Amino acid sequence: MPQTRRLLARLREMMALGFSMIGAADRGGVPLGDLAALVASEMVAEVCTIYALRPGDLLELTATHGLNPEAVGRTRLRVGEGIVGIVAATGTIQNLPDAQNHPAFVYRPETGEDPFASLLAVPVRRSGKLVGVLAVQNRAPRRYLDDEVELLETVAMLLAEVLAAAGVRDGAPQGLGATVPQRFKVTPFAPGIAVGPVVLHGAGAPLRRLVADDPAEEAERLNAAVASMRQTLDDLIQTRLPSGDGPREVFEATRLVAGDGGWMRRVREAVAGGLTAEAAVYRVTNDIRDRMRRIADPYLRERLADMEDLAGRLLAALDGSEALPAIPRGAILIARRLGPAQLLEWHARGIGGVAIEEGSSAGHAAILARALGLPAVGGVRGLLTAVENGDGAVLDAEEGQLILRPDSELRIAYARALDARSQLEAEFAAQRHRPARTGDGVALSLMLNVGLAREVEQLDATGAAGIGLFRTEIAMLAGGEVADVPEQAALYARVLDAAGDRPVRFRTLDLGGDKLLPDAAPQEEENPAMGWRSLRVGLDRPALMRRQLRALLLAAQGRTLSVMFPMVATVAEFRAARDLLMAEAARVRPAPERLMVGSMVEVPALLWQLPALMAEADFVSIGSNDLMQFLFAADRGTPGLAGRYDFLSPPVLDALDQVCAAAAATDTEVSLCGEHAGRPLEAMVLAALGITTLSMPAASLLRLKAAFASVQLAELRAVLMAARRNAAGEASLRAPLLSWAREHGHLV
Ligand code: PEP
Ligand code: MG
């Protein structure tokens, strides 16, 4: 232990001075070779060598103590080549008493390493990504002890920061391991372009201090943080855990890991060795992660997940503040998965765009991104392994690409594209006060889908006809709970005030599926999208539903009130929901001037109940996101299925025809408020079918109005009819419709 502490103290002095790197413009500082010499002397090794990862997957001998100094900057190994290359390729430690007789050994005469038999090499990683390899060697054949391995791993962690900082100083903006631009094909979720640095969802704050000033004080800090973390865990178990033994056991297991078992003991030891508490958590966690990486046993893998969760909690407790650290404005968020509530949190922190590795375009995070006007892309595997916090990035949801570490030419080109885009937007904005109509004079009602009170200002910005879908659950997700009646009433009143004469359709809570409140007891459901969600919850918990209905009626203050119910599957459900509304309406004064009650059509079973439904509903609105999901039995949240089934396909168009026919027969107002309403070609086809009230994200509205202005609907109807007539089992009619739209220049 004293050995570790002495080494760390000396390293801290060196780091304070900064290191000078070979090949870097000389700005003084300690030569990196001194670090190698210090490590060699403390570990009683004859050789210590540092390899840095260079572009092209090459490991370059960057500093050495004990090998031929002439080899510095000259000896290069490919990742996977030689023992050092194996360490880099596999991320594993190599501890070999007789390295030269290892089958993978590669002899490089210029290094002069012939006399050294034993070798210990460890990966140097930063934020989980390889930046180099650190090795020590001795003449005598020996296996290095566990303590020595741990010591070298600790040095490797510090070295990672040194190499990254050197990369920055040398003008390579993203460190040594990641300087090459990388381009990904992505699925656009929400239109727009963003240029900025990357922030990673779930990544902890960067390690600022690695070596503690006073290990005893640091141990105190750690103790306090552990006590606070245990308290939080206990509270969780006491108050938030759903009933049943299963969840309790899982949490008890987590608490055990948090006890004084192996993980915590090792963190304490690392602090006693001189690391800061944060650095100790990182080092021990990384080490255990490495060792467990190849273990397939599901039980042990679960323990790894527990440990990672605890590491996150402990780091948060050490940080001491609940407040989230500031991020650069306009940063691009990259996440593996992201729920709508998390996206809202990030949006409030000022991100300029988002990429969700495992997201899909119909998922609620994507919908929310469109609602917020936040450029978003997704469905891209392997993105997180290629990116680091702080990397520069271009997110281009127009062309469906994400470029990491773009070079300066590309950045300039995008700056130009952004300029051109704002010009185009200015042209669209000129459409704001024009009536929405087609080239042959058919009037359209273009409305907005919104979910937050502050989005209502988009009504004026876009000149929309009203709000066709107010997703009431979004504000609840943003607030983290279902607000009480006065709070809800105040929110709805603000929306109605801002809308003025323009109609607003409030949809009752559509929670469940992927829209879960943070404290909602996790449901044991095989298939939550088809589970106990949305109106089903409202009907089974009428008190909750009535509170919301009361708040809506109170907000109306005698004005017109439009309420619609989501996920209606039977006419009986619609009636039950309407009865709850009527019961509340009988009690609230002043009564609304007019009460409009509608139903979403998004569960396919309703297609066979349309006449009965429309005899009772004042209006229906087609929820094409869920209708598509349930018609094709294709989960809207599964990225691999995105685009597999087309909205412009015979079964969907037939279903829409049925809705239009039933609506015409009963004189019921029909609209569509799924995401398809905001896509130009789909919107034109909807209008051609007779659905002229379309509700969409604000970002699509002006562009759509401009596109419609030249469309001859009669002509499109003929093209559509021919395409449907000729469709012999076609999965999509998109091709002929698209070529018609392109030929006539309708797709701006
Ligand atoms: C839909 O399903 O199309 C819809 C508008 O509702 P949501 O996307 O909120 O489920
Ligand atoms: Mg829906």
Side-chain angles (χ1 to χ4, degrees):
M1 207 66 73
Q3 178 200 22
T4 315
R5 213 181 276 176
R6 195 173 56 224
L7 174 62
L8 290 181
R10 183 72 195 103
L11 278 173
R12 189 180 49 189
E13 284 164 26
M14 286 182 167
M15 285 176 85
L17 292 172
F19 285 93
S20 62
M21 301 275 294
I22 297 296
D26 190 6
R27 292 178 182 86
V30 183
L32 202 55
D34 285 11
L35 188 151
L38 174 69
V39 174
S41 117
E42 288 295 329
M43 292 193 59
V44 200
E46 279 128 322
V47 174
C48 174
T49 314
I50 296 166
Y51 291 86
L53 184 69
R54 300 290 191 194
D57 277 353
L58 286 175
L59 291 157
E60 182 181 291
L61 197 156
T62 306
T64 183
H65 169 84
L67 295 186
N68 182 2
E70 299 288 303
V72 171
R74 280 178 50 209
T75 297
R76 290 178 168 201
L77 293 161
R78 272 177 289 109
V79 169
E81 186 187 14
I83 312 284
V84 165
I86 287 179
V87 171
T90 60
T92 51
I93 296 163
Q94 295 291 319
N95 185 350
L96 305 171
D98 185 8
Q100 310 225 3
N101 282 319
H102 189 284
F105 184 79
V106 173
Y107 179 57
R108 287 294 165 84
E110 75 276 11
T111 60
E113 63 182 326
D114 320 42
F116 306 106
S118 46
L119 169 83
L120 171 63
V122 300
V124 181
R125 268 182 303 220
R126 188 163 185 268
S127 308
K129 268 184 285 300
L130 186 94
V131 290
V133 174
L134 173 66
V136 289
Q137 290 172 275
N138 283 79
R139 280 172 203 272
R142 57 176 293 230
R143 247 190 107 72
Y144 294 86
L145 304 174
D146 280 355
D147 279 357
E148 292 173 303
V149 176
E150 283 204 0
L151 185 60
L152 201 63
E153 281 188 282
T154 302
V155 176
M157 193 170 78
L158 304 191
L159 181 60
E161 300 304 313
V162 172
L163 291 182
V168 172
R169 276 213 311 269
D170 294 350
Q174 278 79 42
L176 295 166
T179 51
V180 213
Q182 211 171 340
R183 196 180 290 260
F184 291 85
K185 196 101 206 77
V186 293
T187 310
F189 285 177
I193 292 171
V195 181
V198 162
V199 285
L200 297 178
H201 176 66
L207 269 182
R208 273 183 252 287
R209 266 183 343 115
L210 295 162
V211 184
D213 298 329
D214 175 356
E217 223 173 74
E218 201 61 22
E220 284 294 299
R221 264 189 80 225
L222 178 66
N223 284 341
V226 169
S228 134
M229 176 187 77
R230 287 211 186 116
Q231 187 58 51
T232 316
L233 269 178
D234 286 348
D235 290 351
L236 259 181
I237 294 173
Q238 294 302 325
T239 57
R240 292 278 176 93
L241 216 55
S243 56
D245 288 342
R248 194 161 293 271
E249 274 165 24
V250 169
F251 258 84
E252 291 296 349
T254 310
R255 191 156 59 169
L256 267 185
V257 181
D260 258 326
W263 176 71
M264 191 54 77
R265 181 178 44 77
R266 292 187 54 197
V267 173
R268 288 188 197 286
E269 280 172 6
V271 168
L275 287 183
T276 58
E278 285 87 349
V281 173
Y282 271 107
R283 204 190 66 57
V284 173
T285 311
N286 283 343
D287 187 31
I288 297 180
R289 192 186 294 127
D290 281 353
R291 283 166 207 235
M292 291 179 77
R293 207 153 42 169
R294 289 158 198 221
I295 295 176
D297 182 281
Y299 176 79
L300 288 177
R301 293 204 70 84
E302 277 302 314
R303 297 292 70 77
L304 178 61
D306 288 347
M307 186 200 64
E308 304 242 9
D309 179 17
L310 283 172
R313 286 173 190 280
L314 189 49
L315 289 170
L318 281 165
D319 199 24
S321 72
E322 288 298 299
L324 299 163
I327 55 162
R329 260 212 104 61
I332 294 172
L333 174 68
I334 296 190
R336 190 177 306 284
R337 280 177 230 102
L338 201 69
Q342 289 163 323
L343 180 59
L344 280 175
E345 239 166 52
W346 278 106
H347 182 253
R349 292 172 71 188
I351 53 169
V354 58
I356 310 170
E357 206 182 85
E358 292 178 11
S360 89
S361 168
H364 283 110
I367 288 177
L368 196 53
R370 286 192 284 276
L372 297 167
L374 191 68
V377 299
V380 46
R381 294 240 160 230
L383 178 58
L384 274 160
T385 54
V387 67
E388 236 177 71
N389 247 336
D391 275 352
V394 169
L395 181 154
D396 182 352
E398 312 288 306
E399 293 296 322
Q401 60 178 355
L402 181 79
I403 305 152
L404 295 179
R405 302 175 286 275
D407 50 34
S408 55
E409 260 175 56
L410 203 77
R411 275 202 296 266
I412 293 167
Y414 267 97
R416 243 186 279 126
L418 280 173
D419 269 359
R421 198 187 156 73
S422 40
Q423 254 175 38
L424 192 64
E425 265 158 19
E427 282 165 34
F428 288 155
Q431 302 274 339
R432 209 174 46 190
H433 301 296
R434 297 212 185 112
R437 55 178 70 245
T438 63
D440 46 3
V442 176
L444 302 154
S445 178
L446 303 184
M447 318 242 267
L448 292 183
N449 293 348
V450 299
L452 297 167
R454 86 179 115 97
E455 285 182 83
V456 175
E457 61 198 41
Q458 298 290 341
L459 275 173
D460 291 332
T462 58
I467 295 173
L469 169 63
F470 189 91
R471 289 182 168 104
T472 56
E473 67 279 359
I474 300 287
M476 309 300 148
L477 286 167
E481 59 181 3
V482 176
D484 60 18
V485 174
E487 240 179 288
Q488 284 195 52
L491 164 72
Y492 305 143
R494 270 209 307 282
V495 174
L496 286 170
D497 291 347
D501 293 341
R502 293 164 289 200
V504 181
R505 282 177 182 165
F506 289 101
R507 184 178 71 180
T508 59
L509 291 174
D510 187 17
L511 289 166
D514 70 339
K515 289 187 279 196
L516 275 182
L517 287 169
D519 63 351
Q523 291 290 317
E524 297 277 335
E525 288 188 317
E526 282 282 315
N527 197 336
M530 295 204 266
W532 191 61
R533 55 168 286 206
S534 193
L535 185 64
R536 295 164 191 177
V537 178
L539 293 178
D540 293 353
R541 297 270 183 278
L544 181 83
M545 175 116 167
R546 286 180 73 151
R547 276 206 295 275
Q548 178 174 38
L549 296 171
R550 198 176 320 142
L552 284 164
L553 288 156
L554 287 169
Q557 282 293 317
R559 293 175 278 197
T560 296
L561 178 67
S562 256
V563 178
M564 77 176 156
F565 301 113
M567 288 287 290
V568 175
T570 63
V571 176
E573 284 180 346
F574 174 75
R575 279 187 200 137
R578 188 197 48 196
D579 289 350
L580 289 177
L581 175 62
M582 292 310 172
E584 282 304 315
R587 297 171 45 186
V588 173
R589 287 292 167 269
E593 177 190 58
R594 192 162 168 225
L595 187 53
M596 308 271 292
V597 192
S599 170
M600 297 276 295
V601 175
E602 51 184 351
V603 177
L606 272 192
L607 294 173
W608 289 273
Q609 307 171 66
L610 291 169
L613 178 73
M614 294 199 192
E616 304 194 24
D618 296 314
F619 64 92
V620 296
S621 190
I622 301 165
S624 55
N625 306 331
D626 278 318
L627 190 61
M628 285 292 289
Q629 143 162 289
F630 297 127
L631 264 184
F632 288 99
D635 179 10
R636 64 195 266 185
T638 298
L641 294 179
R644 188 179 181 105
Y645 303 104
D646 198 349
F647 182 77
L648 297 177
S649 62
V652 179
L653 298 182
D654 287 355
L656 296 174
D657 272 349
Q658 282 185 53
V659 181
C660 291
T666 50
D667 204 15
T668 308
E669 205 187 298
V670 60
S671 62
L672 189 138
C673 63
E675 299 308 298
H676 304 89
R679 299 185 189 140
L681 188 59
E682 281 84 338
M684 289 172 202
V685 169
L686 285 165
L689 292 177
I691 303 177
T692 49
T693 300
L694 301 170
S695 192
M696 66 199 73
S700 310
L701 199 140
L702 286 171
R703 174 181 287 241
L704 214 73
K705 200 190 260 190
F708 264 122
S710 60
V711 169
Q712 301 290 320
L713 269 196
E715 205 180 280
L716 173 56
R717 273 193 210 105
V719 176
L720 185 60
M721 214 193 292
R724 292 176 79 177
R725 210 177 25 241
N726 298 334
E730 301 285 350
S732 164
L733 304 181
R734 185 169 296 269
L737 295 166
L738 195 60
S739 49
W740 167 83
R742 287 215 173 111
E743 243 170 61
H744 292 77
H746 292 321
L747 298 179
V748 275

